[in-house]
Amino acid sequence: AIVMADKAKMDALSAIQDKIGEMVLNGTLEALPVPVRRRVVALKDLQAEHSELESKFLEEKKALEKKYELLYQPLYEKRTAIVSGAVEPEVKEEEAAPAATEKKEGDDVKGVPEFWLRAMRNHYMLNDMIQDHDEEALRALVDIKSGFLEGEQKGFYLEFHFAENAYFENRVLTKKYFMVEEDEPVLDHAEGTPIQWKQGKNVTVTMVKKKQKSRSGNKRTVTKEEPQASFFNFFSPPDVPSQEALENMEEDEEEELQTVIETDYEMGSVIRGKLIPNAVEWYTGEAEEDEGMDFDEDEDDEHEHGEDCDHDHDDDDEDEEEEEPAPKPPKGKKGKGGAAAAAGAAFAPGGEKDPECKQQ
């Protein structure tokens, strides 16, 4: 279930849990022989020392991560320059391809076209995010950057840098993850850049023509805008509801919301921790990503061919609306994710540990 509480409530709950733990410990100790009790107390003292060292370790680990993030930046900048075609790299003679005596197709290509699109397509989870109608816009993606949030804010950000394109005005789309704790994945909320779509170029929606039947029996055709799965839904993260709204939710609604929030966080973690550091290996297909790929074939067969599978797709005669597609961007592959896809995440889970979530 989703954990939602403000900081004061979380602190109070922690204090209560500590008190209960102390009472249980006292009861346990009282039941022990005195010599054994002394030894357990000594063990508790050792545990306290361990916790203190662990706290220092986490502080130094965070400082080390920030240090090396700065050291990585010059390498990422050189990568961007090569990908964009701003510079022509010097390659060792033994690594370079044999010199050609005649000009071949592609010799005049600038940089590495579609570098980030191809890298993401080669990662099975990110590939599920991308629909066919996203690809043209993603061809303008020239760099992805990440870093820690500044000041007292805890968390990280992702920046997607785009060349000028026919789809939106933004040159940079940002996604920020605000964490309650950085050492444990406790998510407060996420924020994304509002996309300034150009007229008729919003790939997160599709136009559908519907025939409506009035009570008098007359029919008319109307065009409605409906949401559709898209990579760019990533920049419209799900809102964390208030505690009151959460309490009024049905259990399945709460589970669905938890799935959406978790998959959104996981996608950010995958991009930050796997794609950005190893982008060229994802581009070439050398990177291995086996997590989450163990599927139960028997279970799949049961769903596809089992007796319990319901294939009844009869039309509802009582439905007063008949749909027919209007001209729209080419429809992409159906992304995985179930409820997450319907809610705009459309991403399969994986990557980092699922976060807990709290309401501000």
Side-chain angles (χ1 to χ4, degrees):
I2 303 173
V3 178
M4 305 209 181
D6 56 31
K7 190 174 187 306
K9 291 181 179 178
M10 292 179 69
D11 291 342
L13 179 60
S14 177
I16 293 172
Q17 290 173 335
D18 290 343
K19 185 66 175 177
I20 293 174
E22 183 180 346
M23 292 170 63
V24 172
L25 175 62
N26 290 338
T28 301
L29 290 177
E30 289 175 1
L32 295 173
V34 174
V36 177
R37 188 187 312 173
R38 285 200 301 267
R39 293 165 195 150
V40 173
V41 170
L43 292 175
K44 292 289 292 180
D45 291 339
L46 290 176
Q47 184 65 47
E49 291 182 33
H50 180 280
S51 297
E52 185 176 348
L53 286 174
E54 184 178 30
S55 178
K56 292 180 179 179
F57 161 72
L58 293 175
E59 290 179 7
E60 293 181 14
K61 176 186 173 185
K62 184 59 62 179
L64 198 61
E65 287 177 346
K66 292 183 177 180
K67 172 187 174 181
Y68 275 88
E69 184 172 78
L70 293 176
L71 295 176
Y72 292 144
Q73 293 311 309
L75 301 178
Y76 293 156
E77 291 171 4
K78 290 179 181 179
R79 179 177 69 188
T80 300
I82 294 172
V83 169
S84 66
V87 301
E88 192 62 39
E90 295 183 4
V91 181
K92 295 178 182 179
E93 194 66 31
E94 61 270 19
E95 296 177 352
T101 57
E102 60 183 56
K103 186 175 181 179
K104 296 181 179 179
E105 183 180 355
D107 286 351
D108 57 350
V109 172
K110 184 178 179 180
V112 186
E114 302 181 16
F115 176 82
W116 289 101
L117 173 58
R118 181 169 175 174
M120 290 193 293
R121 276 296 198 189
N122 283 337
H123 189 293
Y124 76 95
M125 291 169 57
L126 300 180
N127 182 59
D128 284 343
M129 297 169 62
I130 302 170
Q131 309 301 311
D132 289 347
H133 49 254
D134 295 324
E135 287 200 350
E136 194 62 37
L138 287 174
R139 289 190 176 96
L141 180 60
V142 296
D143 199 11
I144 306 178
K145 299 180 180 181
S146 69
F148 292 101
L149 298 180
E150 296 181 354
E152 296 182 358
Q153 295 176 331
K154 299 176 182 179
F156 64 93
Y157 67 84
L158 301 170
E159 287 182 351
F160 294 73
H161 293 251
F162 289 84
E164 186 175 353
N165 61 84
Y167 287 83
F168 44 82
E169 302 290 348
N170 314 65
R171 297 300 291 270
V172 179
L173 297 178
T174 304
K175 183 72 172 286
K176 295 181 179 180
Y177 290 90
F178 296 86
M179 312 300 291
V180 178
E181 297 293 341
E182 287 183 313
D183 300 323
E184 292 292 332
V186 182
L187 179 67
D188 185 282
H189 70 286
E191 297 177 1
T193 300
I195 302 178
Q196 300 171 1
W197 295 103
K198 295 182 179 180
Q199 183 67 32
K201 293 293 186 177
N202 187 347
V203 297
T204 67
V205 298
T206 184
M207 303 304 295
V208 176
K209 285 185 177 180
K210 293 186 175 183
K211 291 182 178 180
Q212 290 184 339
K213 184 177 180 181
S214 66
R215 293 181 179 178
S216 61
N218 296 325
K219 288 187 177 182
R220 63 171 183 170
T221 301
V222 296
T223 302
K224 292 185 177 181
E225 185 178 88
E226 295 186 351
Q228 66 175 353
S230 169
F231 168 84
F232 292 95
N233 288 327
F234 181 66
F235 299 99
S236 300
D239 293 326
V240 179
S242 65
Q243 185 66 28
E244 181 181 356
L246 184 66
E247 291 173 353
N248 293 329
M249 280 186 178
E250 297 292 337
E251 184 176 351
D252 58 344
E253 292 178 318
E254 184 176 339
E255 291 176 355
E256 181 176 339
L257 176 61
Q258 178 70 18
T259 299
V260 172
I261 293 174
E262 286 177 359
T263 52
D264 178 76
Y265 171 79
E266 288 162 4
M267 285 297 94
S269 297
V270 165
I271 292 169
R272 172 172 167 74
K274 296 185 178 181
L275 180 69
I276 294 176
N278 309 298
V280 68
E281 294 182 349
W282 289 112
Y283 174 82
T284 61
E286 297 174 275
E288 295 182 0
E289 180 62 19
D290 296 326
E291 299 175 15
M293 293 298 288
D294 297 328
F295 298 106
D296 189 337
E297 293 183 1
D298 293 335
E299 182 177 343
D300 291 342
D301 291 340
E302 180 180 344
H303 283 294
E304 291 179 9
H305 308 294
E307 295 179 359
D308 294 334
C309 184
D310 183 4
H311 294 290
D312 186 8
H313 299 294
D314 292 342
D315 293 335
D316 186 353
D317 295 333
E318 296 179 2
D319 190 352
E320 293 188 352
E321 292 188 352
E322 300 175 3
E323 296 185 10
E324 66 179 51
K328 58 182 179 180
K331 184 176 182 181
K333 297 176 293 184
K334 184 177 181 181
K336 298 180 181 178
F347 317 139
E352 301 290 333
K353 179 182 177 183
D354 295 346
E356 295 180 357
C357 309
K358 86 165 191 63
Q359 175 64 22
Q360 300 182 72

PDB file of all heavy atoms in Angstrom, residues 102 208 239 274:
ATOM      1  N   GLU A 102      36.939   5.122 -51.983  1.00  0.00           N
ATOM      2  CA  GLU A 102      35.861   5.874 -52.620  1.00  0.00           C
ATOM      3  C   GLU A 102      34.806   6.244 -51.585  1.00  0.00           C
ATOM      4  O   GLU A 102      34.662   5.596 -50.562  1.00  0.00           O
ATOM      5  CB  GLU A 102      35.220   5.047 -53.736  1.00  0.00           C
ATOM      6  CG  GLU A 102      34.608   3.723 -53.256  1.00  0.00           C
ATOM      7  CD  GLU A 102      34.051   2.908 -54.401  1.00  0.00           C
ATOM      8  OE1 GLU A 102      34.801   2.607 -55.337  1.00  0.00           O
ATOM      9  OE2 GLU A 102      32.842   2.617 -54.336  1.00  0.00           O
ATOM     10  N   VAL A 208     -10.600  11.362 -32.063  1.00  0.00           N
ATOM     11  CA  VAL A 208     -11.497  10.258 -32.397  1.00  0.00           C
ATOM     12  C   VAL A 208     -12.867  10.805 -32.788  1.00  0.00           C
ATOM     13  O   VAL A 208     -13.424  11.660 -32.083  1.00  0.00           O
ATOM     14  CB  VAL A 208     -11.642   9.289 -31.201  1.00  0.00           C
ATOM     15  CG1 VAL A 208     -12.647   8.193 -31.502  1.00  0.00           C
ATOM     16  CG2 VAL A 208     -10.288   8.677 -30.862  1.00  0.00           C
ATOM     17  N   ASP A 239      -0.231  12.547  -9.770  1.00  0.00           N
ATOM     18  CA  ASP A 239      -0.306  13.303  -8.521  1.00  0.00           C
ATOM     19  C   ASP A 239      -0.522  12.346  -7.349  1.00  0.00           C
ATOM     20  O   ASP A 239      -1.246  11.355  -7.457  1.00  0.00           O
ATOM     21  CB  ASP A 239      -1.465  14.304  -8.569  1.00  0.00           C
ATOM     22  CG  ASP A 239      -1.224  15.404  -9.599  1.00  0.00           C
ATOM     23  OD1 ASP A 239      -0.058  15.786  -9.776  1.00  0.00           O
ATOM     24  OD2 ASP A 239      -2.205  15.854 -10.219  1.00  0.00           O
ATOM     25  N   LYS A 274      21.235   3.702 -15.434  1.00  0.00           N
ATOM     26  CA  LYS A 274      21.664   2.712 -16.421  1.00  0.00           C
ATOM     27  C   LYS A 274      21.869   3.312 -17.810  1.00  0.00           C
ATOM     28  O   LYS A 274      22.903   3.087 -18.437  1.00  0.00           O
ATOM     29  CB  LYS A 274      20.637   1.579 -16.485  1.00  0.00           C
ATOM     30  CG  LYS A 274      20.543   0.796 -15.182  1.00  0.00           C
ATOM     31  CD  LYS A 274      19.616  -0.401 -15.301  1.00  0.00           C
ATOM     32  CE  LYS A 274      19.586  -1.173 -13.979  1.00  0.00           C
ATOM     33  NZ  LYS A 274      18.699  -2.367 -14.068  1.00  0.00           N
TER      34      LYS A 274
END
